[in-house]
Amino acid sequence: MTTAHPVGTACAIGTIAPMEKIMHTWTAQFIAPEHELDAAPLLRREFVLDEGHGPLVTATLYYTALGIVEAFINGAPVSPDVLTPGWTSFEWRLRYVEQDVTAFVDANRVVVGLALGDGWFHGSLGWHDRVRPYGSKLAGIAELHLTFADGHHQRVISDDAWQSGRSAVTANSLYDGQKIDARRTQPGWASPGFDTSGWSGVRPVAFDRARLAPAASPPVRRQEELTPQRVWESPSGKTLVDFGQNLVGWVRVSVRGDAGDSISIRHAEVLEHDELGVRPLRGAAATDRFTMSGGDDLFEPTFTFHGFRYIELTGWPGGIEALQDGGLVAVVVSSELRRIGRFSCSNPLLNRLHENVVWGMRGNFLALPTDCPQRDERLGWTGDIAVFAPTAAYLFDTSDFLRDWLRDLALEQQHNGDVVPFVVPDLLKHLGHPPEFEPLDSTAIWSDAAVWVPWALWEAYGDPSVLGDAFPSISAHTRHVRSLLSANGVWDSGFQFGDWLDPDAPAERADEAKADPGVVATASLYRTACMARDAAGILDRESDRKEFDALAASVRAAFCTVYVDGRRIRSDCTTVYALAIAFELLDAADTVWAGARLAELVEASGFRISTGFAGTPFIMDALSSTGHVDTAYRLLLEQQCPSWLYPVTMGATTIWERWDSMLPEGRINPGEMTSFNHYALGAVADWMHRTLGGLAPLEPGYRRLLIHPRPGGGLDWAESSLETPFGLASVRWESSSAGLRIDVKVPQSVTALLRIDSRPDRELEPGHHTISSS
């Protein structure tokens, strides 16, 4: 069989350098092919183990690329990782991998091979006029360190002794897809004894190796495989395939056809008018093309990724009738994150909604927390993760992943006058900001990611070092926004995303929300100042704590003076009341009428959603905390558009960017910007875990639990579970005519506070507890 891709199937699970990993001192240099190649390059070095020193004891490979890289030793991939080293703020930081490869050095003659692709560093990025901001040279670097029984060390480094050749990959782009020509495959290129007579030398590529940093974020890996659920012919005669789930990854193809004939696969998330719905892709071609060798070919395009559920298949030998089981397999890829939190209940639609949140997170936690995985964007928008971080930290162990991303946020912020950019890494500074984003400066919620994300990690995992590491960003952002306040003490100037994607906003003006942007911004600053104050207190930074406490008090007073008039908050819409209540901007008496007004507005909307990115994550808490749990359930369970369950009724398997990304008649939203895999609006899962499921942290890291389920909505039961730093915690409640039954598991070294409405609070010790309430 011809394997028409640079990755085999055998692999060894490697280790990822922890956050405190000692920096490797490099002597190797980045190298690139001596001559320009008409294909993605392969680099190799063959050598002989030093003799007379006894058996090999350890072998460690250090490697990375100005692009993406897959490493091989003696023909085998050394790791299951793909899309290495991911995307960081390359101007200041490029990750490298440290891999134990002792098991692969199994002969006297050894070959180290690197297969290179464009990736983020060398690829063209962005929309419209794309840019290649980081460098025009595609290159790799590697060092193999070998230690023998007598203590002898041998080192093989990337230098001018290496050779270069072309691979079967004739084109590769993260947005546009990958082309592989199986006729050009070079079997054994990374194995000893390979004939390199057609290969050339290499040349050094200048790069400041001080930018190299050990990988501290989980790698991207294959997660699972899905087979086609349906194959059919569209009205226009196109062959369409449905994998049954909107996913992120690629399609692996096993096929035999005439040499030189090609198969093309175009990817999309949805169908429109019974054809592939490609308009949301904008400028991304999202198409892989495979040219067959004439024998049995296996194609796997690991130098790209797509967001898709459906594919349009062209050129399959023999047509649909000849498509065999196993010929097409969708490979799901994501950063390797450990699942720790789960939820389920008696309502199948809510279970599907929750599953959509999980799939949306998996697809967008790929090397960094992106907004979407399919169109010509896929950027680390700060606002999305700012509101979604609590949900993410519950579902998966995201500590290393998000802390690593926060390093890039800090670097971008430091080099941008303390302003946290809209996206991290900041492609927009290279691509050019849309004019409607001017003037460029901090913006509420998006820039607040510098504070809200580390705070979410602190609450989830209880490690104060995340606050210590992030405190320079936290304090710099908070102080910078303070400098933007108007004379009356509110934040009402500059560009604001506001309640982005309010469902009542025009399709092409996502920022034209009902909520006054100053109200949103000032409320967000108050939340930020409170978190900065509390972080300073935890870190024993008393002068900072007093400074931010004073700021919080002044912002709260200004908010109430400027924006609260009688029993109304300016713009009198659901988002402003949700933020004012959830962020505790009002005193106890005012919170009562604000909660009543919020519930009134929700009912007036027919219990349909009327909030965007700012209000949606907080409206359920605002309702339930003010005694309107029934209203919250009515809002959660509404099925008419716009609502959380409307996409579920439309067959969604991930969270949509817009409430109406697909219109009821089956037509894609006319706005240029729409995605069917966008996790931000899935932040409601945080409320589902804590309030519907009843499991919440009473102290950071779940050292102390709050067990407070709020049954409602006609649900018969619900359960939440979480692998806390102290062990598994779980809650299950069942409601019947006999009353309420709650089963609780409290981990060792942890206590819990059980709260059942209308009954006194109760302390629970570690162990299993069953509580009945008639």
Side-chain angles (χ1 to χ4, degrees):
M1 174 185 284
T2 299
T3 303
H5 61 91
V7 179
T9 55
C11 57
I13 295 178
T15 57
I16 297 303
M19 300 285 287
E20 67 277 9
K21 183 73 177 183
I22 297 174
M23 292 284 290
H24 176 62
T25 301
W26 290 84
T27 56
Q29 56 189 329
F30 280 92
I31 56 174
E34 181 180 18
H35 307 293
E36 291 295 329
L37 302 174
D38 62 347
L42 304 173
L43 306 174
R44 77 187 303 273
R45 172 75 162 90
E46 185 167 349
F47 68 97
V48 178
L49 295 180
D50 290 347
E51 298 180 345
H53 302 287
L56 180 72
V57 176
T58 63
T60 303
L61 181 66
Y62 303 86
Y63 66 97
T64 190
L66 308 181
I68 51 178
V69 59
E70 294 170 349
F72 300 79
I73 290 183
N74 286 354
V78 303
S79 166
D81 304 355
V82 293
L83 299 168
T84 301
W87 191 5
T88 50
S89 294
F90 293 133
E91 299 95 336
W92 308 288
R93 195 169 74 100
L94 172 65
R95 300 186 192 108
Y96 64 83
V97 175
E98 177 182 346
Q99 186 77 45
D100 180 356
V101 294
T102 309
F104 295 91
V105 184
D106 55 359
N108 188 48
R109 297 191 68 84
V110 181
V111 173
V112 181
L114 301 178
L116 303 182
D118 286 348
W120 293 271
F121 191 103
H122 189 250
S124 58
L125 302 171
W127 47 81
H128 305 311
D129 297 325
R130 296 182 189 173
V131 295
R132 183 172 284 166
Y134 299 113
S136 60
K137 304 299 182 185
L138 177 63
I141 189 171
E143 289 191 10
L144 178 61
H145 290 218
L146 306 120
T147 303
F148 295 83
D150 67 353
H152 175 72
H153 297 284
Q154 182 179 0
R155 185 174 61 191
V156 177
I157 65 173
S158 50
D159 56 16
D160 58 9
W162 285 52
Q163 296 172 293
S164 63
R166 68 181 191 178
S167 71
V169 178
T170 58
N172 66 100
S173 162
L174 297 179
Y175 295 159
D176 296 331
Q178 187 166 333
K179 296 179 181 179
I180 305 175
D181 188 339
R183 299 170 300 177
R184 300 171 60 153
T185 302
Q186 300 196 54
W189 71 271
S191 299
F194 176 73
D195 181 6
T196 59
S197 57
W199 284 44
S200 301
V202 298
R203 55 184 173 82
V205 172
F207 185 82
D208 181 6
R209 290 174 299 185
R211 291 193 239 169
L212 296 174
S217 183
V220 178
R221 290 180 177 167
R222 303 168 180 85
Q223 302 296 320
E224 63 179 285
E225 299 180 352
L226 301 179
T227 56
Q229 301 300 297
R230 181 188 176 205
V231 181
W232 75 102
E233 189 174 283
S234 76
S236 67
K238 303 289 179 52
T239 298
L240 300 180
V241 180
D242 178 10
F243 287 98
Q245 171 64 53
N246 195 3
L247 62 99
V248 174
W250 51 72
V251 176
R252 187 176 66 235
V253 174
S254 301
V255 67
R256 183 183 183 92
D258 293 339
D261 285 355
S262 294
I263 297 166
S264 70
I265 297 177
R266 193 172 193 188
H267 307 73
E269 297 178 297
V270 295
L271 301 176
E272 185 176 37
H273 306 308
D274 298 319
E275 303 287 350
L276 202 67
V278 297
R279 185 169 57 79
L281 301 175
R282 296 192 310 208
T287 301
D288 297 328
R289 183 177 296 275
F290 307 132
T291 301
M292 294 172 282
S293 67
D296 291 326
D297 293 320
L298 175 65
F299 297 96
E300 186 167 7
T302 58
F303 287 164
T304 190
F305 66 90
H306 309 286
F308 69 101
R309 171 176 172 171
Y310 302 92
I311 63 170
E312 183 181 287
L313 181 64
T314 305
W316 191 269
I320 296 179
E321 296 76 12
L323 186 59
Q324 301 294 318
D325 289 343
L328 301 173
V329 176
V331 179
V332 179
V333 301
S334 175
S335 287
E336 184 82 343
L337 301 174
R338 182 170 64 94
R339 181 78 183 270
I340 58 173
R342 299 183 185 276
F343 168 87
S344 60
C345 69
S346 60
N347 187 313
L349 293 179
L350 289 182
N351 290 337
R352 182 67 250 188
L353 171 65
H354 192 268
E355 191 68 10
N356 291 358
V357 175
V358 173
W359 273 97
M361 176 179 168
R362 292 175 72 192
N364 281 293
F365 273 51
L366 192 157
L368 70 156
T370 58
D371 60 326
C372 61
Q374 68 299 102
R375 64 179 178 236
D376 51 356
E377 191 167 347
R378 314 181 195 191
L379 306 180
W381 284 93
T382 49
D384 299 53
I385 190 60
V387 298
F388 189 74
T391 302
Y394 179 95
L395 292 173
F396 293 86
D397 181 354
T398 60
S399 179
D400 288 349
F401 179 89
L402 288 176
R403 291 183 72 167
D404 190 65
W405 178 79
L406 285 168
R407 291 180 173 188
D408 289 313
L409 182 148
L411 287 166
E412 298 286 2
Q413 180 187 20
Q414 291 164 17
H415 291 84
N416 193 33
D418 291 335
V419 175
V420 178
F422 302 153
V423 299
V424 173
D426 188 7
L427 179 68
L428 297 185
K429 69 188 178 194
H430 302 289
L431 187 65
H433 292 79
E436 59 267 27
F437 290 179
E438 303 288 348
L440 293 178
D441 211 320
S442 296
T443 185
I445 300 176
W446 277 251
S447 298
D448 288 319
V451 184
W452 296 9
V453 174
W455 188 261
L457 295 178
W458 156 246
E459 287 196 316
Y461 309 124
D463 182 356
S465 69
V466 68
L467 299 178
D469 291 346
F471 197 75
S473 285
I474 291 171
S475 55
H477 165 67
T478 308
R479 289 176 179 131
H480 179 74
V481 175
R482 180 177 58 192
S483 74
L484 303 178
L485 299 182
S486 298
N488 58 4
V490 299
W491 188 10
D492 60 358
S493 61
F495 168 77
Q496 293 289 347
F497 287 102
D499 197 23
W500 185 255
L501 285 173
D502 178 327
D504 296 319
E508 296 296 346
R509 290 306 308 268
D511 60 323
E512 290 190 1
K514 299 182 293 294
D516 183 285
V519 176
V520 172
T522 306
S524 298
L525 173 57
Y526 176 70
R527 185 178 199 239
T528 286
C530 290
M531 289 179 176
R533 174 199 64 204
D534 294 344
I538 292 162
L539 299 171
D540 294 324
R541 303 176 67 106
E542 184 59 19
S543 62
D544 293 316
R545 190 198 66 78
K546 290 180 178 178
E547 174 189 352
F548 296 132
D549 185 54
L551 175 62
S554 66
V555 170
R556 189 175 191 264
F559 181 93
C560 293
T561 298
V562 177
Y563 294 131
V564 180
D565 184 7
R567 293 193 168 194
R568 291 292 181 269
I569 299 175
R570 182 178 296 181
S571 59
D572 192 34
C573 62
T574 49
T575 287
V576 298
Y577 293 103
L579 299 185
I581 294 167
F583 298 172
E584 299 181 349
L585 279 150
L586 308 174
D587 61 26
D590 289 343
T591 298
V592 172
W593 63 251
R597 179 57 178 161
L598 174 61
E600 183 181 15
L601 290 170
V602 170
E603 185 173 0
S605 71
F607 301 97
R608 300 185 189 187
I609 282 288
S610 57
T611 51
F613 271 35
T616 296
F618 305 105
I619 190 170
M620 297 292 284
D621 274 310
L623 287 167
S624 55
S625 68
T626 54
H628 302 282
V629 177
D630 290 343
T631 303
Y633 272 106
R634 290 283 301 272
L635 184 65
L636 178 67
L637 294 170
E638 178 58 43
Q639 297 181 30
Q640 297 300 308
C641 182
S643 66
W644 280 291
L645 293 186
Y646 164 72
V648 175
T649 67
M650 294 289 286
T653 59
T654 43
I655 299 298
W656 294 352
E657 180 175 18
R658 296 176 184 264
W659 297 108
D660 59 349
S661 285
M662 180 69 74
L663 302 179
E665 64 270 22
R667 190 166 49 87
I668 296 171
N669 187 289
E672 178 187 3
M673 178 195 74
T674 197
S675 156
F676 293 87
N677 191 353
H678 219 93
Y679 57 67
L681 298 178
V684 67
D686 181 43
W687 184 89
M688 294 168 70
H689 302 149
R690 292 182 291 103
T691 305
L692 200 167
L695 178 58
L698 199 57
E699 293 182 9
Y702 294 83
R703 182 174 294 277
R704 187 159 153 75
L705 307 178
L706 174 62
I707 310 299
H708 186 198
R710 310 288 294 276
L715 273 68
D716 298 321
W717 60 268
E719 57 186 10
S720 292
S721 65
L722 178 68
E723 294 179 29
T724 76
F726 306 96
L728 181 68
S730 65
V731 180
R732 177 184 172 91
W733 62 262
E734 298 179 7
S735 180
S736 67
S737 58
L740 181 67
R741 173 191 168 100
I742 305 175
D743 287 294
V744 180
K745 183 175 182 180
V746 181
Q748 291 299 312
S749 304
V750 172
T751 60
L753 181 69
L754 174 67
R755 180 167 294 160
I756 301 175
D757 291 345
S758 75
R759 295 184 62 179
D761 290 349
R762 174 180 169 186
E763 292 287 337
L764 300 179
E765 297 298 320
H768 181 265
H769 305 269
T770 298
I771 301 96
S772 296
S773 172
S774 57

